[in-house]
Amino acid sequence: YYNFYETFIPRYISYLFTSARLLQKALDIKKTPRILTTLAVVNSSIGFNAGDDFKTSNHIGEAIKILKNTIKEYPDYAMAYFNLAYIYFSLDEKKLAERNFRSAINLMEKNPENLDPWCLYHFEHHKKSHDFKKILNDYLIIISESKNSRGLRAANNLFISTCWYFT
């Protein structure tokens, strides 16, 4: 996934298909909300980048299905709501996007631990005017280096502000 978006390697969509295949293998070993959500993000990225009309892409539909099932099984996993909201936003389904962004906000405000800063999120939003990649990476470094919750609270606030931006 990161080879597709974050390196100077040419963007071959095969990287995304490889990511999806490896995530499916990981799910066969242990099912977690992070792996499910990450698989949905990769599937939707295939849909966004496959060259077809992403609004009718089977990969987008599969990503939505995975995220809805993840929310049913893990209702406190804020990243599933966040990524589902982003897909709906991209599909111009504003009411569904807002509902899911608000659910993510509620979960993150209720408990910062509901944010999983290590879960993948959509890189497509970097094409939008609200790019938080560098700030998020700074917070991830803080989270990695310290035992206190300052980085997690800061990342949590960053995701909340992003949700408000899109709503």
Side-chain angles (χ1 to χ4, degrees):
Y1 186 82
Y2 288 109
N3 279 343
F4 183 78
Y5 284 102
E6 296 295 307
T7 67
F8 295 107
I9 298 170
R11 287 189 172 191
Y12 297 118
I13 199 156
S14 63
Y15 293 137
L16 295 177
F17 285 102
T18 299
S19 296
R21 191 172 55 255
L22 293 172
L23 286 163
Q24 191 58 58
K25 283 184 178 182
L27 276 175
D28 294 341
I29 296 168
K30 184 175 182 182
K31 186 175 177 182
T32 69
R34 180 187 294 169
I35 295 172
L36 286 163
T37 301
T38 301
L39 178 61
V41 168
V42 170
N43 271 317
S44 63
S45 294
I46 291 169
F48 286 127
N49 290 285
D52 301 329
D53 178 12
F54 71 87
K55 291 184 177 186
T56 60
S57 168
N58 289 337
H59 293 283
I60 299 290
E62 180 65 19
I64 290 171
K65 179 181 166 189
I66 292 169
L67 289 168
K68 284 181 172 182
N69 289 335
T70 302
I71 288 167
K72 282 180 189 170
E73 197 166 342
Y74 305 95
D76 288 338
Y77 194 68
M79 295 307 292
Y81 294 94
F82 179 83
N83 283 300
L84 182 59
Y86 184 78
I87 292 171
Y88 283 139
F89 182 83
S90 299
L91 295 173
D92 210 27
E93 297 281 347
K94 302 295 190 231
K95 288 185 191 247
L96 290 170
E98 182 177 356
R99 184 180 322 143
N100 283 282
F101 277 129
R102 287 183 185 275
S103 294
I105 290 167
N106 289 336
L107 286 169
M108 288 184 257
E109 286 178 340
K110 183 171 77 173
N111 182 1
E113 302 288 316
N114 286 331
L115 170 70
D116 180 358
W118 300 106
C119 182
L120 286 183
Y121 59 92
H122 283 279
F123 280 82
E124 281 79 17
H125 74 75
H126 292 163
K127 299 173 188 170
K128 311 288 187 228
S129 60
H130 189 67
D131 181 357
F132 66 72
K133 182 172 79 175
K134 183 190 180 322
I135 300 167
L136 179 62
N137 287 342
D138 291 345
Y139 293 148
L140 292 177
I141 290 169
I142 292 169
I143 292 167
S144 296
E145 291 177 346
S146 77
K147 300 278 187 212
N148 68 37
S149 60
R150 183 175 70 99
L152 182 60
R153 282 193 316 271
N156 192 55
N157 291 335
L158 179 63
F159 272 94
I160 289 171
S161 68
T162 300
C163 291
W164 282 119
Y165 171 82
F166 282 116
T167 57

